[in-house]
Amino acid sequence: MYALPKVAVVLIALLPKPDALLGWEWRGEPRVYSPDTLYEYIDGSADLYLSYGFEEAAVADYVRGGEEGDWITVDVYDMGAPLHAFGICGAEKPSDCESFPAGAQGYATDNLIAFWQGDYYVKVMLVAGEDADAVRALAAEVGEGLPGGGSLPDELKRLPEKGRVAGSERYVKTSALGHKFLVEVVSADYALGDARARLHIGDLATVEKAREGMQKLRAFEERASEGVNALSGVGEDAFGARDPYYGEMVAARQGQFLVLAISEEAGGAELTALARRAVPLLAPACEGGVCRIE
Amino acid sequence: MAKEHSERHLTRRDFLRQATVGALLGASAAASASVTHDKQGADCDAAAVCELRRLGRTDLQVYPLGLGAGGIKEPAVARRALDLGVSYFDTAEGYQDGESEVKLGEALKGRRDDAIVATKWGWWGKETADDYIAACEASLKRLGMDHVDIIQLHGVGRPEHVTNEAAWEAFNRLKEAGKARFNGISMHENQVAVVEAVIESGRFDQVLLVYHAMNAEQMAPMIRKAHEAGIGVVAMKGLAPVHEGKDTDAFAGLPGNPYQQAIQWVLKDESVATLIVNMPTFEELAENIAAATGEAGHADLSEFEEAAKRISVGSCHMCGACTGQCPAGVRVADIMRYRLYHDGYGDRGRARELYHALPAEASAAACGDCAECRIVCPWGVPVRPRLESMHVRLA
């Protein structure tokens, strides 16, 4: 007899029980997916999950009224770390959704509630039927059973709180903004008076790589924009430019971190002030050429 | 089975997009960033290779390096490609589950007239002209455009599939309505026979085919023939030799960048109107543009060509000679192509997705029943070990 791995059993236990809602039941047994089998469930989307550190998933179908009746699917993805769960949740979040009070940064569309909590990313989907209350109830049930609270991952503390637009935080693991060197990036929108800006902070792991990244970014802007102007008083190697694809940009380096403040609406002075707010939060502790935020 | 697989997931995805119930919550408008034009265009003085080329009998003039949007991530990169002179953009309804078209549309917003946009019809799940028309209109909606320049049949592997009456009727109706200007067809295998059938049919303005330094012997004459018949030739997978040579370091000793030389090798064939390449980052875009303009790369491609020839034996040419050879029904040519995606392009997700879409009896799982593989590859590819290896990695 096949025994599920311990981790899979734990994950299945996080799914609402088959009788969690009156009149509903499981269709078949819950399924478990590993990094090698996730493709069987979500096809090519699996790559995105894997890039964010996917470890295991448990999935159950809740049905009511037989084959032609109501059908809700609950997915619980163990992403291995809060930052990864946060990242995949943000990457999948559509623009036409609204926030929903579930887990951390929960959101809802017409037929989906999704959120992350601790190491987990959760999706509750209405596949057939119209029972939106049941979707909400199942989402709440999963949330109650998950470890971890609703606080953002520690890495997001790199983003200044003042002016930050709640719910706009994101994490991108590779090639952020189309630049190969720009990795491990946390970002958020900021309200600067009437204007909006986006602040990106990339962790390039070492000071040397960060310096090299700044040189590449500057070289790109020198080619693509109307020119760059050196800035002082914002970390190191700072410059401003009007990027033709993203808008006004202020870039600076602080240790192993790159800071990019970008806006279509705000001016260079406002963006410089925003970048200045970020730099003190990135004061690094360096050892052997590798710096880590304290 | 492949059709069932596709439809099962379409159903699942459709419900994610469509409102099946009263909204759980309301919607908000998506913000779209406006962008300005680049001050630079491509510097075409360095080499004649980047002069615009006419796409067959059409009135379309294309830059010889095109952007394959199958792997598009940031629309800004495609926009920069446009700014640098790239004019041909290739996508498909099936790429990224439609998101490729959405991102490409965003990239080209406001500059539609500067771009040549080609998308593709998957032939699965479509039977009537109305099915094809509905699919094209869905593509237009995702692209945010009122027309595409080229609509292509996607991945045709058999000559008898070239003449698709429903798609032909659909194209003519779309053309009359101003929604598609030209008709094309893409292929990955059995290319010689399919191109022959394309020329014979007289229906197509464009072909999208695999062309690189390893399959030149068989494909160069066919490409010339198609070109002379007035069919615009768009090449893809031009970097395949470099990907194939990764394991053996076949190009390691070469002066210069082998990827750039692979691009230049394809573009020196004047029967090719444009070569599409997947370029998800600014860095890859710059590197490939430099190859197309001749600013980088290598003037003498003979060493590259020699290296490609050396790895030619034992490498899959996608010639299609193995198609239908397996008595167990294993789709060998398809699996070999997925191997290229997996090992060559590093696109493991796509390889796995495609492999899992194969019916069980067509996957390499069926290999175990044969004492000895009966497939004889004219290029000396060790078929069975590769199939088994792919099954272990993809199944």
Side-chain angles (χ1 to χ4, degrees):
Chain A
M1 186 176 161
Y2 174 71
L4 283 170
K6 192 179 170 189
V7 63
V9 173
V10 171
L11 206 54
I12 288 173
L14 297 175
L15 293 165
K17 298 290 173 282
D19 56 355
L21 300 180
L22 191 62
W24 291 74
E25 58 184 351
W26 276 349
R27 174 184 285 163
E29 290 297 312
R31 286 105 62 197
V32 175
Y33 297 95
S34 70
D36 288 334
T37 61
L38 186 61
Y39 296 92
E40 292 170 12
Y41 181 47
I42 56 172
D43 289 350
S45 304
D47 241 18
L48 184 67
Y49 283 66
L50 293 174
S51 76
Y52 277 102
F54 168 81
E55 293 187 356
E56 291 266 326
V59 177
D61 293 317
Y62 297 78
V63 293
R64 181 179 60 185
E67 281 298 312
E68 301 299 317
D70 299 330
W71 175 10
I72 296 170
T73 298
V74 177
D75 299 354
V76 178
Y77 299 89
D78 181 353
M79 301 302 296
L83 184 64
H84 301 160
F86 166 79
I88 186 68
C89 185
E92 289 214 320
K93 190 175 182 177
S95 52
D96 57 344
C97 69
E98 290 197 3
S99 60
F100 189 84
Q105 296 193 311
Y107 68 84
T109 66
D110 292 330
N111 38 30
L112 169 74
I113 291 174
F115 61 92
W116 70 275
Q117 190 168 318
D119 296 351
Y120 302 93
Y121 176 41
V122 178
K123 291 164 85 173
V124 183
M125 291 164 283
L126 183 61
V127 183
E130 300 185 351
D131 196 343
D133 287 340
V135 176
R136 290 193 197 96
L138 282 171
E141 180 84 12
V142 184
E144 281 169 19
L146 285 179
S151 59
L152 293 173
D154 286 347
E155 289 83 352
L156 272 80
K157 289 178 183 165
R158 295 168 191 161
L159 296 163
E161 284 185 15
K162 187 186 166 193
R164 193 164 92 194
V165 177
S168 68
E169 299 89 351
R170 294 285 183 277
Y171 162 64
V172 175
K173 198 167 174 60
T174 58
S175 298
L177 300 170
H179 293 289
K180 217 169 187 171
F181 60 82
L182 200 49
V183 297
E184 298 292 339
V185 174
V186 292
S187 65
D189 283 343
Y190 284 81
L192 304 177
D194 292 337
R196 281 277 178 115
R198 191 151 188 94
L199 185 65
H200 304 259
I201 296 175
D203 181 354
L204 275 65
T206 67
V207 173
E208 194 177 317
K209 283 182 182 169
R211 276 201 192 105
E212 197 181 310
M214 275 302 278
Q215 285 166 4
K216 286 180 179 172
L217 183 63
R218 189 179 176 117
F220 176 83
E221 293 301 337
E222 281 170 348
R223 285 195 306 274
S225 72
E226 296 296 331
V228 302
N229 55 298
L231 298 171
S232 58
V234 199
E236 297 170 81
D237 311 327
F239 68 86
R242 173 82 193 169
D243 182 277
Y245 309 104
Y246 295 109
E248 197 69 33
M249 171 191 287
V250 166
R253 181 182 66 79
Q254 175 69 16
Q256 76 207 48
F257 299 100
L258 296 195
V259 179
L260 277 78
I262 300 173
S263 176
E264 279 290 340
E265 301 156 357
E270 293 162 293
L271 294 175
T272 304
L274 176 58
R276 265 195 197 118
R277 267 191 262 157
V279 166
L281 301 175
L282 304 172
C286 299
E287 198 175 326
V290 178
C291 302
R292 288 284 161 204
I293 190 167
E294 286 186 312
Chain B
M1 196 78 153
K3 183 179 160 187
E4 281 173 19
H5 180 91
S6 171
E7 284 174 352
R8 177 168 62 82
H9 288 283
L10 276 176
T11 304
R12 180 180 164 79
R13 286 164 181 161
D14 282 347
F15 91 78
L16 287 171
R17 290 212 184 87
Q18 296 160 4
T20 57
V21 292
L24 289 170
L25 285 165
S28 63
S32 66
S34 63
V35 289
T36 55
H37 293 187
D38 193 272
K39 65 174 180 178
Q40 300 173 338
D43 176 9
C44 287
D45 296 335
V49 75
C50 72
E51 284 174 1
L52 297 183
R53 300 179 182 190
R54 186 169 166 174
L55 187 72
R57 58 177 161 259
T58 75
D59 59 354
L60 302 173
Q61 298 283 337
V62 297
Y63 185 81
L65 182 70
L67 187 136
I72 186 172
K73 287 179 183 151
E74 284 287 339
V77 179
R79 181 70 165 205
R80 175 139 185 90
L82 185 69
D83 286 342
L84 292 176
V86 171
S87 56
Y88 191 96
F89 297 84
D90 177 86
T91 182
E93 63 172 335
Y95 292 163
Q96 299 182 26
D97 200 22
E99 276 300 299
S100 165
E101 290 179 325
V102 172
K103 289 175 187 168
L104 184 59
E106 190 183 324
L108 302 178
K109 206 171 184 178
R111 293 193 54 196
R112 174 66 185 88
D113 293 344
D114 297 334
I116 294 161
V117 177
T119 193
K120 305 185 197 79
W121 277 317
W123 48 268
W124 48 91
K126 299 181 186 69
E127 290 176 4
T128 67
D130 287 342
D131 293 338
Y132 283 93
I133 288 170
C136 182
E137 284 175 345
S139 287
L140 290 173
K141 192 174 175 188
R142 284 189 291 269
L143 284 160
M145 296 171 184
D146 61 1
H147 75 282
V148 288
D149 296 285
I150 303 167
I151 183 86
Q152 306 156 96
L153 272 176
H154 198 164
V156 174
R158 294 184 183 180
E160 60 268 30
H161 290 166
V162 166
T163 313
N164 177 327
E165 296 304 333
W168 178 238
E169 182 192 332
F171 165 65
N172 283 301
R173 283 164 57 186
L174 287 164
K175 188 176 181 180
E176 200 174 325
K179 293 179 179 176
R181 297 189 63 203
F182 300 104
N183 189 23
I185 189 166
S186 79
M187 63 199 73
H188 296 106
E189 62 185 70
N190 208 9
Q191 294 194 122
V192 171
V194 175
V195 173
E196 285 278 17
V198 166
I199 296 169
E200 179 73 20
S201 77
R203 288 182 172 182
F204 295 92
D205 304 301
Q206 175 258 27
V207 285
L208 171 60
L209 44 74
V210 177
Y211 186 44
H212 46 64
M214 288 187 330
N215 72 357
E217 194 175 324
Q218 49 174 182
M219 288 311 297
M222 289 312 301
I223 285 171
R224 197 174 312 116
K225 198 171 171 184
H227 176 68
E228 285 168 4
I231 297 168
V233 176
V234 178
M236 62 176 163
K237 297 184 173 53
L239 307 182
V242 190
H243 293 312
E244 279 286 345
K246 268 182 191 168
D247 292 344
T248 54
D249 287 337
F251 298 93
L254 231 58
N257 179 329
Y259 290 99
Q260 291 180 320
Q261 291 178 48
I263 288 171
Q264 290 178 324
W265 186 92
V266 174
L267 296 185
K268 73 183 172 63
D269 188 332
E270 291 180 357
S271 295
V272 173
T274 190
L275 165 68
I276 58 168
V277 182
N278 180 28
M279 300 179 272
T281 65
F282 290 117
E283 286 85 347
E284 286 155 292
L285 173 66
E287 195 173 277
N288 295 343
I289 292 256
T293 57
E295 288 169 30
H298 210 253
D300 180 5
L301 296 175
S302 58
E303 282 186 60
F304 171 82
E305 209 165 63
E306 281 304 313
K309 272 183 192 162
R310 278 196 297 276
I311 59 164
S312 185
V313 176
S315 295
C316 178
H317 288 54
M318 296 188 192
C319 65
C322 53
T323 303
Q325 269 200 48
C326 175
V330 174
R331 297 240 292 261
V332 180
D334 284 334
I335 297 169
M336 290 295 171
R337 180 159 52 88
Y338 305 159
R339 180 181 172 275
L340 175 67
Y341 293 147
H342 189 278
D343 292 354
Y345 299 171
D347 196 347
R348 294 173 185 176
R350 191 174 176 196
R352 281 176 185 264
E353 180 178 6
L354 290 164
Y355 191 75
H356 282 282
L358 286 175
E361 63 275 18
S363 81
C367 267
D369 296 337
C370 291
E372 194 177 329
C373 187
R374 296 186 204 169
I375 299 169
V376 180
C377 172
W379 300 100
V381 172
V383 173
R384 184 164 179 162
R386 287 211 180 163
L387 290 177
E388 287 173 345
S389 153
M390 286 319 292
H391 188 66
V392 167
R393 285 182 287 168
L394 297 180

